[in-house]
Amino acid sequence: MRARMTGPDPHRFPSAIPPSAIPSATQRMLTSGRLARRFALVSLMLGVLIAILIGASLYVVSSRHLARQHLANVEANASLAARQTEGLLDTLVTTMRDLAGNSVLATALVDSAGKETYLVPFLGSFNHIASVPVAILFTDFEGERIADNGRRSGTLSMVPADMTWLRAAIAAGKPAATVIRQDDTEYLLAAEMLIYSRTRSPEGALLYKVPLDSLVLHPEADLLHASEEPPPLAPDMIAVTVPLTVPDRLSALGLQLRLKAPGTRAATLLSWMLPAYGLVAAAALLAIYIGSRAVGTHMTRSLRELERLAGAIATDGFTGQRAQVRGNDEVSALARGFNAMLDHIAAIQREREMRAAEEITIQRTLAERAEQARAEAESARNEEERSRQEAVMALMVAERANAAKTHFLAAASHDLRQPVQSLVLLTSALALRLGDHPASALVGSIEASMDALCRLLDAILDISKLDAGTVSPNVQTVSLGAIFARLEEEYRLRAAEKGIAFRSVPTGVTLTADPALLERIIRNLVENALRYTDRGRILLGCRHGRGRLRIQIFDTGIGIPPEHLERIFHEFYQISNPTRDRGKGLGLGLAIVDRLARLLGYRVHVASRPNRGSCFTLEIPMPALPPKPAAPAAETAADAPQPGRGIALVIDDDPLVREGLTLLIEDLGWRAIAADSAGHALHLLRDQPRPPDLVIADYRLEAGATGLQAIHAVEAALTEQGQASPLSVVLTGDTAPERIADAQASGYRILHKPIAAKEVAQLLSDALLDGPGRDPAPEGAGRRNPAILPG
């Protein structure tokens, strides 16, 4: 097989330097001509580059060495000057302290004869201390001059500003020092207190003044202090700053010594280095050019022969020619490779055909694998879609289960409240009729059991109200300290009965919150701590941090295992009460705390260690919502007037509830009219000579009717007769969220079963007090537990 070859193209060989970066003449010189000359030129350029790099490196290294040596000398001089200045300052301060504490001088200060005889001449000998000029002045405790060392004029004399500063130092009663500027000169101004063992009180002061520049012995050094910015340096200067170790009296000045010196100059280095280095570099470059030209001519001889052979093959074709191989160098290896190339051209072609067949096989295999991967990806997508649908179905099942739980609790609560209501009313009526009968003790036990059951039903009602969204915070200004004090008064004796201590940390924090809901949260947390703590103590307190107020309840109770921390806020969940002992609660207190905190925008979390105790934290953002005007407090049942005689209409389809409520109303001195439906109530009203003063209707009546419809019918009938509408109350045992929301939206007073006898008495009093046209009392007035959530 023949292969047509062309002659060498010099423009196809890459050059050492990009063509765009060099002049065209240099480019032609490096890319044309004989290889020997080009090799010599390239070697020469490389030699120049190496010479420049070596020279620059020597210059940089020498310059840096000289600079480091020069800086080390400057630092040594600065350290020496700093030590000298420290010695002067130490001598100065020590001398002044000794003068201030000298008892002989103290005697001379108060003795005019002694002062004139030997004190003034003695002080005159202190014009210089360690060759440093100094002005000294003794004053009394009011800062008035007593004696000096004679410097009353000149730059070192004491000026009025110095005396003003001294009086301020005397008022402080301790040694002081400062740096002042006077006539473009800075001075060290310091004072020592004259305190003697005889009185142990300030008797006066010693004021001394020293020029700062006299404390520095080096001519190029400056003494700097903390209140002064150092002056800028000239571009050719360097400076070394050394902090001074001074006596305590001067430490506040932040004294530093700065030594200035000229920077190192490279001219001295260049003056002898460049000529010598230039001569050596020129001789080396000449030798490089001549040697590389000779070597290049010898090395390219075999290449010229290969060039002629390639031209012959390109002109006449390949006829078995071979390149001549000389020696064992790189050019000989090139010749052998050239011969091997000619021998294997046919084998290369065959190899290309085999590779083409292999490529076809590989492409077919890759296509099959791609199809398999696409099918697997499609299967994975289908599996992911099935998983997503299963997750959606699981979520729907969970939501239906939660709704079923809510409806079950509502239905169970309603069905329980009906008989409980009848038991509460009948028990109350029985208690009124028995009076002091011996069986009244049994009635008290029944009432205690009923009260426990009512607390359970009220807790379920609270949960339902929160889930229904009918609880609206009444934000106003609240004193947290008042809540803490009230809870400590209430729970201290209960804790003492269990043998534990209860204490609240007094606080003056005032915040904006719903006082009833906030107290309910804290009360439930305290109840929980008291219930599960049998030894140790309980601590209630608060603290501020990062824009939040943290109310914390610490206890030393049984603690909570880590796996239960997230579940304790669920309904009816208790860790250590498998027998459902009512003394340990119902498992609803923390659930109510969690819902109330979310309603108010608070955060509740707990930290606990088993057998060590727990800490519940209520985080409240500060500042909270703006306060609303507080509504006037409702009249309590204890202060309400006793019910007089009136007529009450009771509408309830449960005969036991209807009978119990009727008996209780009659025992309270009223006349009761009982009906099981709206129609029955209207029929009975037609036979009455006067309208009722109170209407109590059950929310759920027979045949799907509601107490709201019955009240509307009664009001409509009375309006047609020209009579005013009575006070109307809806009595309900429903705890379903939607039922609570409907009843709340009616506008009537809502009472939740079971209601107690005192609540019925309060209703009768309200019916007489309110009368036609007056607003009804707020719902929930007179409830058993004032902490029950409002409707």
Side-chain angles (χ1 to χ4, degrees):
M1 179 177 179
R2 292 189 177 186
R4 183 168 182 81
M5 301 182 64
T6 60
D9 184 3
H11 296 285
R12 299 183 60 186
F13 291 94
S15 58
I17 303 175
S20 61
I22 58 177
S24 58
T26 305
Q27 179 181 355
R28 287 195 300 272
M29 181 177 64
L30 294 177
T31 58
S32 61
R34 305 299 295 176
L35 284 176
R37 184 172 64 85
R38 291 161 59 191
F39 178 74
L41 290 175
V42 171
S43 299
L44 181 61
M45 295 179 64
L46 290 175
V48 171
L49 179 61
I50 292 172
I52 293 173
L53 292 176
I54 292 175
S57 300
L58 289 175
Y59 174 72
V60 170
V61 171
S62 301
S63 300
R64 289 183 177 177
H65 176 71
L66 289 176
R68 285 195 296 268
Q69 185 176 7
H70 180 63
L71 180 61
N73 292 335
V74 175
E75 290 176 347
N77 291 335
S79 179
L80 177 60
R83 302 291 82 80
Q84 293 172 343
T85 301
E86 289 173 356
L88 291 177
L89 287 172
D90 187 68
T91 301
L92 177 64
V93 172
T94 302
T95 302
M96 293 300 107
R97 187 173 60 239
D98 292 343
L99 286 176
N102 193 303
S103 59
V104 176
L105 287 179
T107 303
L109 289 176
V110 297
D111 183 3
S112 59
K115 178 173 65 175
E116 296 297 333
T117 302
Y118 57 86
L119 175 60
V120 173
F122 173 75
L123 292 178
S125 65
F126 284 92
N127 282 330
H128 290 78
I129 296 177
S131 302
V132 176
V134 58
I136 302 175
L137 174 64
F138 278 91
T139 71
D140 58 15
F141 66 92
E142 293 181 349
E144 297 299 329
R145 181 189 302 266
I146 297 178
D148 55 40
N149 65 341
R151 291 186 181 269
R152 298 189 179 183
S153 61
T155 58
L156 265 180
S157 62
M158 298 296 181
V159 297
D162 300 339
M163 302 305 295
T164 302
W165 177 86
L166 174 63
R167 293 185 182 96
I170 293 174
K174 58 183 179 180
T178 185
V179 175
I180 62 172
R181 178 175 290 274
Q182 180 180 332
D183 298 331
D184 296 330
T185 303
E186 290 187 335
Y187 296 90
L188 171 64
L189 187 64
E192 293 285 343
M193 299 296 107
L194 305 181
I195 300 177
Y196 303 114
S197 58
R198 177 172 54 84
T199 61
R200 303 309 299 172
S201 61
E203 297 291 337
L206 169 63
L207 178 66
Y208 57 96
K209 187 176 182 180
V210 179
L212 277 187
D213 55 1
S214 64
L215 297 171
V216 181
L217 302 182
H218 198 287
E220 298 297 329
D222 297 322
L223 191 59
L224 306 179
H225 54 89
S227 61
E228 177 190 29
E229 290 291 334
L233 289 174
D236 58 343
M237 299 292 288
I238 63 174
V240 174
T241 302
V242 180
L244 298 182
T245 303
V246 298
D248 294 341
R249 289 165 169 75
L250 306 181
S251 60
L253 300 180
L255 296 179
Q256 296 178 327
L257 186 137
R258 186 174 77 162
L259 180 63
K260 297 179 291 185
T264 58
R265 300 185 180 274
T268 57
L269 177 65
L270 294 176
S271 62
W272 64 268
M273 181 177 179
L274 288 182
Y277 182 75
L279 291 175
V280 175
L285 293 176
L286 181 61
I288 288 173
Y289 179 78
I290 295 173
S292 60
R293 184 67 181 267
V295 172
T297 301
H298 176 74
M299 293 177 60
T300 58
R301 181 179 60 178
S302 298
L303 293 177
R304 290 194 295 273
E305 291 178 357
L306 286 177
E307 179 184 3
R308 288 191 295 269
L309 177 59
I313 292 175
T315 303
D316 303 331
F318 177 66
T319 58
Q321 299 95 327
R322 290 290 183 274
Q324 187 177 0
V325 179
R326 295 187 181 90
N328 194 27
D329 56 8
E330 292 82 359
V331 179
S332 300
L334 177 62
R336 285 192 295 270
F338 192 79
N339 293 334
M341 179 187 66
L342 297 176
D343 292 338
H344 293 290
I345 288 178
I348 292 173
Q349 185 63 32
R350 289 193 298 271
E351 183 179 356
R352 287 181 177 177
E353 293 175 355
M354 292 174 61
R355 287 183 178 179
E358 291 176 357
E359 287 292 335
I360 294 174
T361 303
I362 291 174
Q363 291 294 336
R364 185 180 295 112
T365 303
L366 291 177
E368 293 174 354
R369 290 182 179 178
E371 179 63 24
Q372 181 180 359
R374 187 194 64 78
E376 291 177 354
E378 183 67 23
S379 175
R381 282 195 297 271
N382 295 337
E383 183 65 25
E384 182 182 356
E385 180 64 21
R386 284 195 299 271
S387 299
R388 187 187 67 81
Q389 293 178 357
E390 291 176 357
V392 171
M393 291 299 296
L395 179 60
M396 294 174 60
V397 169
E399 290 177 349
R400 285 198 298 268
N402 187 49
K405 180 207 71 173
T406 301
H407 289 302
F408 168 76
L409 285 177
S413 176
H414 177 269
D415 293 342
L416 283 173
R417 286 174 184 271
Q418 291 296 100
V420 170
Q421 178 63 84
S422 60
L423 286 174
V424 169
L425 295 175
L426 292 173
T427 303
S428 299
L430 181 58
L432 290 175
R433 296 191 177 188
L434 286 177
D436 297 331
H437 193 276
S440 60
L442 297 176
V443 176
S445 299
I446 296 174
E447 287 180 336
S449 299
M450 289 296 100
D451 189 63
L453 183 56
C454 290
R455 283 198 301 272
L456 171 61
L457 295 176
D458 283 339
I460 296 175
L461 175 62
D462 290 345
I463 294 289
S464 300
K465 286 183 178 181
L466 291 170
D467 290 340
T470 60
V471 179
S472 299
N474 179 23
V475 179
Q476 55 187 272
T477 301
V478 181
S479 171
L480 191 60
I483 294 178
F484 281 11
R486 188 161 52 250
L487 293 177
E488 182 176 5
E489 182 69 21
E490 179 179 345
Y491 286 98
R492 187 173 60 248
L493 295 179
R494 290 180 54 187
E497 290 176 356
K498 293 188 65 175
I500 60 178
F502 177 83
R503 186 175 69 88
S504 66
V505 180
T507 177
V509 172
T510 300
L511 67 157
T512 52
D514 185 305
L517 300 184
L518 177 60
E519 182 174 347
R520 178 65 182 278
I521 293 175
I522 302 174
R523 182 183 297 274
N524 281 15
L525 294 176
V526 172
E527 283 278 0
N528 184 77
L530 183 63
R531 190 171 295 124
Y532 293 102
T533 302
D534 295 325
R535 58 182 177 81
R537 64 191 182 97
I538 299 173
L539 178 64
L540 170 63
C542 69
R543 64 181 65 182
H544 283 282
R546 296 183 180 180
R548 291 180 176 272
L549 175 68
R550 292 181 174 88
I551 300 175
Q552 295 181 312
I553 296 92
F554 297 87
D555 67 67
T556 57
I558 62 174
I560 305 170
E563 63 271 14
H564 296 285
L565 288 177
E566 293 298 329
R567 301 174 62 187
I568 60 174
F569 293 99
H570 296 174
E571 301 93 335
F572 300 106
Y573 186 81
Q574 293 178 295
I575 299 173
S576 58
N577 192 13
T579 60
R580 306 301 297 174
D581 180 7
R582 288 180 310 186
K584 294 185 178 181
L586 308 171
L588 293 175
L590 294 182
I592 293 175
V593 166
D594 180 61
R595 284 168 168 82
L596 285 177
R598 284 189 277 113
L599 172 67
L600 297 174
Y602 303 163
R603 180 171 175 261
V604 180
H605 57 88
V606 58
S608 182
R609 294 178 62 184
N611 301 320
R612 298 292 297 275
S614 305
C615 174
F616 283 82
T617 301
L618 176 66
E619 290 189 358
I620 303 175
M622 298 292 285
L625 297 175
K628 298 179 181 178
E635 188 178 354
T636 61
D639 298 330
Q642 296 298 323
R645 297 199 175 270
I647 300 176
L649 175 60
V650 178
I651 306 175
D652 198 315
D653 59 342
D654 189 320
L656 289 177
V657 174
R658 191 169 61 246
E659 180 183 358
L661 192 55
T662 300
L663 290 174
L664 183 58
I665 290 173
E666 291 177 348
D667 287 340
L668 292 173
W670 277 47
R671 189 161 62 88
I673 304 173
D676 58 2
S677 64
H680 188 197
L682 295 176
H683 175 73
L684 294 176
L685 288 178
R686 284 195 293 267
D687 299 333
Q688 298 299 320
R690 53 173 286 193
D693 301 286
L694 173 66
V695 178
I696 303 176
D698 189 17
Y699 181 80
R700 184 186 296 182
L701 300 176
E702 61 183 6
T706 66
L708 298 177
Q709 296 171 347
I711 291 175
H712 290 325
V714 171
E715 289 179 344
L718 294 176
T719 302
E720 290 179 358
Q721 299 174 10
Q723 297 175 347
S725 298
L727 174 64
S728 299
V729 178
V730 178
L731 188 63
T732 178
D734 272 308
T735 57
E738 59 273 14
R739 297 287 184 273
I740 294 176
D742 292 342
Q744 184 70 22
S746 67
Y748 294 109
R749 186 187 299 192
I750 308 298
L751 290 182
H752 293 272
K753 297 179 181 178
I755 61 174
K758 60 181 179 181
E759 295 177 87
V760 176
Q762 183 65 44
L763 283 178
L764 301 182
S765 297
D766 292 344
L768 293 180
L769 287 174
D770 291 344
R774 292 186 59 183
D775 294 334
E779 183 231 339
R783 296 284 290 172
R784 278 183 309 276
N785 184 357
I788 295 296
L789 296 179

